[in-house]
Amino acid sequence: MVVYLIGAGPGDPELITLKALKVIKKADVIIYDRLINNKILEYAPEDAKLIYVGKKPGGHSKTQEEINKIIVEEAKKENIVVRLKGGDPFIFGRGGEELLTLKSHGIKTKTIPGITSAIGVPTAASLPITHRGLATSFTIVTGHEDPTKGKKQVHWDYKADTIIILMGVGNLKENTQEIMRYRPADTPVCAIENGTTEKEKITFGTLEDIHTKNIKPPAIIIIGRIVNLYKKIIKEDP
């Protein structure tokens, strides 16, 4: 038995890797998340067992503990189990927790990386997150920490030229107010909803007003001077 932790990419089904599809095509079980493009599941064998364990703001179909239990149970019954996760399994995908659980049960695992939405979404929209002379560094940070931790790890005093926030729509006002303690209120911000899909929507603002723009999840928030460069790029795009 073996469990494959596979990253499905940021949304566009064509952005999944060839290696991932090769495994999906022979999977006995696929345990998949909410943001997986259903077109990817069409590559699964007709008799493959598909198990939805998606999470969404305000409601989860399964807790993480329940998901871990399902993966272990299916791994013990089947030969090839695919744990299919949006983006990359180890970029805020809790892949590490699932990997540790499987290891504790003596279950063999393999990981196939995916394009994380933090990079794939802005670059697919032609937004460079680094640029010579303008942005030489970037930080990827969660906008929604696990409330059960009891102590916050995110302090928002990042020195990187570009800040990319994942899962930050629900706490957008709170997070941008925190960032304004360290950066000017007029720092440009860009939000990309449903990136790399037909429903993609791009919204511009500043740290001060981006929370008023009616942004809906899932969305990536990009903060920094690189956003002004992006405005120039799309303006000049023929």
Side-chain angles (χ1 to χ4, degrees):
M1 59 184 173
V2 58
V3 174
Y4 288 86
L5 271 66
I6 296 179
D12 182 344
E14 294 185 351
L15 292 177
I16 195 170
T17 66
L18 292 173
K19 187 171 185 177
L21 285 182
K22 183 178 179 181
V23 175
I24 289 171
K25 288 178 180 179
K26 61 181 182 181
D28 297 304
V29 177
I30 299 179
I31 303 166
Y32 65 101
D33 286 340
R34 180 175 67 94
L35 297 180
I36 301 302
N37 193 306
N38 286 335
K39 290 183 179 179
I40 294 175
L41 299 176
E42 295 176 3
Y43 289 96
E46 288 186 6
D47 59 348
K49 183 178 182 180
L50 305 180
I51 303 175
Y52 175 72
V53 293
K55 300 176 181 178
K56 64 180 180 179
H60 298 338
S61 65
K62 302 290 182 183
T63 66
Q64 187 60 50
E65 290 72 23
E66 290 173 328
I67 293 171
N68 292 347
K69 183 179 179 181
I70 290 170
I71 300 172
V72 170
E73 289 177 347
E74 294 299 328
K76 290 180 176 179
K77 291 188 295 184
E78 307 289 350
N79 291 323
I80 301 175
V81 176
V82 166
R83 174 65 174 111
L84 192 59
K85 307 175 78 68
D88 181 272
F90 296 150
I91 307 296
F92 301 125
R94 304 189 74 167
E97 296 174 44
E98 295 174 0
L99 192 65
L100 288 170
T101 297
L102 292 165
K103 292 290 186 181
S104 71
H105 284 83
I107 296 171
K108 183 178 180 181
T109 63
K110 294 185 179 181
T111 302
I112 300 177
I115 300 174
T116 173
S117 59
I119 296 175
V121 166
T123 55
S126 298
L127 193 165
I129 57 177
T130 63
H131 186 78
R132 185 164 58 98
L134 184 62
T136 60
S137 59
F138 64 90
T139 290
I140 302 172
V141 59
T142 176
H144 180 78
E145 292 189 78
D146 182 354
T148 65
K149 289 191 303 184
K151 182 180 179 181
K152 288 189 175 182
Q153 293 175 260
V154 178
H155 299 294
W156 299 111
D157 55 342
Y158 298 107
K159 305 303 180 184
D161 296 313
T162 304
I163 297 177
I164 302 169
I165 304 176
L166 303 186
M167 302 176 294
V169 175
N171 297 326
L172 188 55
K173 183 177 181 179
E174 175 186 345
N175 292 340
T176 50
Q177 286 179 337
E178 284 293 315
I179 298 172
M180 281 190 286
R181 295 171 56 193
Y182 309 99
R183 301 194 181 209
D186 62 353
T187 300
V189 179
C190 175
I192 306 178
E193 301 173 41
N194 296 296
T196 77
T197 74
E198 295 178 353
K199 297 180 180 180
E200 182 174 275
K201 176 186 174 184
I202 299 174
T203 303
F204 294 100
T206 64
L207 282 176
E208 188 173 38
D209 67 11
I210 192 66
H211 72 275
T212 68
K213 302 291 184 173
N214 194 32
I215 298 165
K216 304 294 184 181
I220 307 298
I221 311 298
I222 302 100
I223 300 169
R225 292 190 299 159
I226 201 72
V227 174
N228 285 337
L229 174 68
Y230 180 48
K231 290 180 180 179
K232 181 179 179 181
I233 289 173
I234 58 176
K235 182 179 180 179
E236 296 179 353
D237 194 22

